[in-house]
Amino acid sequence: MALSVNTNLSALSGQYQLDKTQQAKKQILAQLASGSQLNSAADNAANLAISQQLQAQINGNNQALNNTSDGISMVQTADSALSQLQDNTQQIQTLAIQAGDGALNSSNRQALQQQVDQLTQSNSQIVQSAQFNGTPLLSGGNATTFQVGANGTASDQLTVPGINLSSAPAAGGLNGYNANLGATNTIDVTTQANALAAQQNTQADLGTIGSQRSTLGAISNSFNSVINNLQTSNISNQAANSRISDTDFAAATAQLASQQILGQAGTLTQAQANIAPQAALSLLG
């Protein structure tokens, strides 16, 4: 190898290797500081694209979980209102059966009627006022659809059927409902004959309420199933994303130690390479 002063190939080679070592240390330090081994597309473009897709799925699932929780809250609110209607209607039925007792006089039945009126007025008020975030739950009959998935397909939606207990009994409403919250004799028990008809009407109302509660129970189970699926999916996606993007601190710290040693060795080697051209001076002496 020729001995030259203008071009120090050993020093240039040392500079190149030392620069590579410094870049490697910089990358490892970034991984350790951020906890991610994908801090730029240059780190691993393919893995970064996969990681972004997985993170988008995770974010979408998390929002779908929130939406599903809203759906469960809505169903629970509606079921709570139906439960109170059911209790009140059962009391009305008991009073109607009592009013059918031939030993009672008209005054007795009028006292029972007052109790029935209070219960029907309470039921009517519940039907009109039950709502969730401004959406009527027991009147209007409008269905509510929830986005419970992150893939933008029809299967990612779950619909809560509308309930309209304020409609006519033949259309699914309650015999014990009256739009006038102060109405009396909506369910009439003032005579034995009326008491018998009242028993039949309240029995029909109990059937209507029970059917609605069964429907809501099935919908609630569907929401809970969606939550389980979303949580399972998130666990899988997060595990996959972690393998791709998270920093392995044990491996990274070992690599950092190795690069630090190489950096120190490179610095010492560079110093020796810079001294080598001085040998040319000995020839001039």
Side-chain angles (χ1 to χ4, degrees), residues 59-80:
N59 293 340
N61 285 349
N62 286 336
Q63 185 56 56
L65 281 168
N66 291 336
N67 295 352
T68 305
S69 296
D70 287 341
I72 290 176
S73 297
M74 182 179 185
V75 169
Q76 289 175 338
T77 302
D79 185 64
S80 178

Side-chain angles (χ1 to χ4, degrees), residues 39-276:
N39 295 296
S40 70
D43 293 334
N44 191 317
N47 280 356
L48 181 62
I50 296 172
S51 176
Q52 288 177 337
Q53 291 177 348
L54 290 171
Q55 189 59 52
Q57 184 70 43
I58 292 168
N59 293 340
N61 285 349
N62 286 336
Q63 185 56 56
L65 281 168
N66 291 336
N67 295 352
T68 305
S69 296
D70 287 341
I72 290 176
S73 297
M74 182 179 185
V75 169
Q76 289 175 338
T77 302
D79 185 64
S80 178
L82 286 171
S83 177
Q84 186 59 57
L85 288 177
Q86 193 171 55
D87 291 344
N88 289 349
T89 304
Q90 287 173 346
Q91 292 183 53
I92 294 172
Q93 185 183 46
T94 299
L95 293 169
I97 294 172
Q98 185 179 356
D101 188 349
L104 300 182
N105 57 36
S106 59
S107 178
N108 299 143
R109 290 194 179 91
Q110 189 58 48
L112 294 176
Q113 182 63 56
Q114 291 178 356
Q115 296 180 56
V116 170
D117 287 342
Q118 290 176 352
L119 290 168
T120 56
Q121 290 167 8
S122 175
N123 280 356
S124 298
Q125 192 274 334
I126 291 172
V127 169
Q128 290 187 17
S129 64
Q131 62 175 357
F132 182 81
N133 194 31
T135 299
L137 297 177
L138 304 180
S139 61
N142 295 319
T144 304
T145 299
F146 291 85
Q147 184 75 28
V148 296
N151 300 316
T153 64
S155 61
D156 289 333
Q157 294 183 328
L158 193 58
T159 299
V160 179
I163 300 174
N164 190 12
L165 299 181
S166 63
S167 63
L174 298 180
N175 292 285
Y177 170 80
N178 196 310
N180 179 5
L181 299 183
T184 58
N185 295 83
T186 301
I187 298 289
D188 192 342
V189 296
T190 56
T191 67
Q192 273 190 305
N194 289 344
L196 181 60
Q199 294 169 38
Q200 296 171 348
N201 288 337
T202 53
Q203 189 63 40
D205 285 353
L206 287 172
T208 297
I209 295 170
S211 176
Q212 295 293 354
R213 293 195 71 184
S214 295
T215 299
L216 290 181
I219 292 295
S220 181
N221 289 336
S222 296
F223 277 126
N224 286 325
S225 178
V226 167
I227 285 179
N228 291 335
N229 289 335
L230 288 172
Q231 290 176 335
T232 300
S233 175
N234 260 3
I235 290 173
S236 298
N237 287 330
Q238 287 173 344
N241 196 28
S242 175
R243 288 192 296 270
I244 293 173
S245 65
D246 287 353
T247 298
D248 182 345
F249 276 77
T253 51
Q255 292 174 8
L256 178 62
S258 175
Q259 293 300 325
Q260 287 174 332
I261 293 172
L262 288 175
Q264 293 172 2
T267 300
L268 293 174
T269 302
Q270 185 67 27
Q272 291 299 317
N274 290 337
I275 295 174

